[in-house]
């Protein structure tokens, strides 16, 4: 076989359609792989944190625009079996952690209902963060936690600096 496409040359209009479909597929694949790793600090996780990212952020320090919702994702591998977790979010302002409501407070549900999670199995927590118009414009640290309901320890504790903008 010479490797030449038997359909060549294409009928008029056929190449445009193929190029458009190829461009759309390429754009989807690129957007899926270009989620930027966010600047973060482990604040006492018992699990190994493998990735902290958001498909909605354009920079390593996420700029959160008031009135918008952002999907935040934290991938991790627990160091022991996990059967139940609580998801919590705090905004750390002037060193004081202020609780923020999360839409999904069941940590297992936030990890796609994967509980029980076996030791060493990588899972990803996905939470939506709605930035209310009433929030002040400021720089702060967001502290994301998945707490073990039985042992009362932090399976995940990650601090992510963010900037709330108008």
């Amino acid at each position: 076989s010479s490797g030449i496409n038997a359909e060549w040359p294409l009928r008029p209009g056929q190449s445009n359609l193929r190029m458009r479909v190829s461009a759309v597929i390429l754009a989807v694949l690129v957007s899926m792989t270009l989620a930027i790793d966010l600047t973060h600090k482990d604040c006492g996780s018992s699990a190994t944190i493998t990735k902290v990212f958001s498909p909605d952020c354009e920079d390593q320090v996420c700029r959160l625009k008031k009135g918008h919702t952002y999907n935040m994702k934290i991938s991790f591998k627990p160091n022991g079996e996990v059967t139940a977790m609580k998801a919590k979010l705090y905004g750390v302002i002037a060193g004081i952690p202020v609780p923020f409501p999360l839409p999904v407070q069941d940590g297992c549900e936030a990890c796609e209902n994967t509980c029980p999670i076996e030791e060493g199995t990588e899972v990803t927590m996905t939470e939506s963060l709605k930035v209310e118009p009433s929030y002040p414009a400021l720089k702060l640290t967001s502290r994301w936690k998945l707490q073990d309901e039985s042992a009362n320890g932090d399976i995940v504790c990650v601090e992510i600096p963010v900037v709330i903008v108008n």
Side-chain angles (χ1 to χ4, degrees):
S1 165
S2 66
I4 298 174
N5 187 338
E7 295 178 7
W8 197 263
L10 299 171
R11 292 186 299 274
Q14 199 174 11
S15 65
N16 277 346
L17 177 61
R18 281 203 181 141
M19 272 196 340
R20 283 189 206 136
V21 169
S22 296
V24 167
I25 291 170
L26 181 63
V28 168
L29 291 174
V30 167
S31 69
M32 286 171 42
T33 58
L34 285 184
I36 293 176
D37 286 345
L38 297 174
T39 299
H40 65 279
K41 181 177 95 174
D42 190 308
C43 51
S45 304
S46 64
T48 300
I49 306 302
T50 56
K51 189 170 176 90
V52 177
F53 61 104
S54 173
D56 304 317
C57 297
E58 297 174 4
D59 297 307
Q60 287 182 311
V61 174
C62 197
R63 294 172 60 81
L64 306 174
K65 189 169 177 149
K66 293 180 184 186
H68 289 75
T69 300
Y70 295 83
N71 287 311
M72 306 302 271
K73 297 176 177 274
I74 300 172
S75 297
F76 64 97
K77 293 179 182 178
N79 71 349
E81 184 182 66
V82 176
T83 56
M85 301 180 286
K86 278 198 180 222
K88 298 192 175 204
L89 171 62
Y90 300 89
V92 182
I93 303 167
I96 300 168
V98 178
F100 278 77
L102 285 174
V104 180
Q105 295 179 3
D106 181 320
C108 294
E109 188 180 333
C111 294
E112 300 177 1
N113 293 313
T114 52
C115 292
I117 304 168
E118 290 184 27
E119 177 180 348
T121 302
E122 185 173 38
V123 293
T124 301
M125 173 190 81
T126 302
E127 283 283 2
S128 293
L129 173 61
K130 177 150 178 43
V131 183
E132 298 293 345
S134 60
Y135 291 173
L138 57 91
K139 291 180 184 179
L140 72 145
T141 299
S142 60
R143 182 180 296 158
W144 300 81
K145 290 187 172 200
L146 284 173
Q147 294 181 320
D148 187 327
E149 288 193 11
S150 60
N152 224 10
D154 292 335
I155 296 166
V156 169
C157 182
V158 173
E159 292 183 340
I160 306 169
V162 296
V163 180
I164 297 175
V165 297
N166 291 319

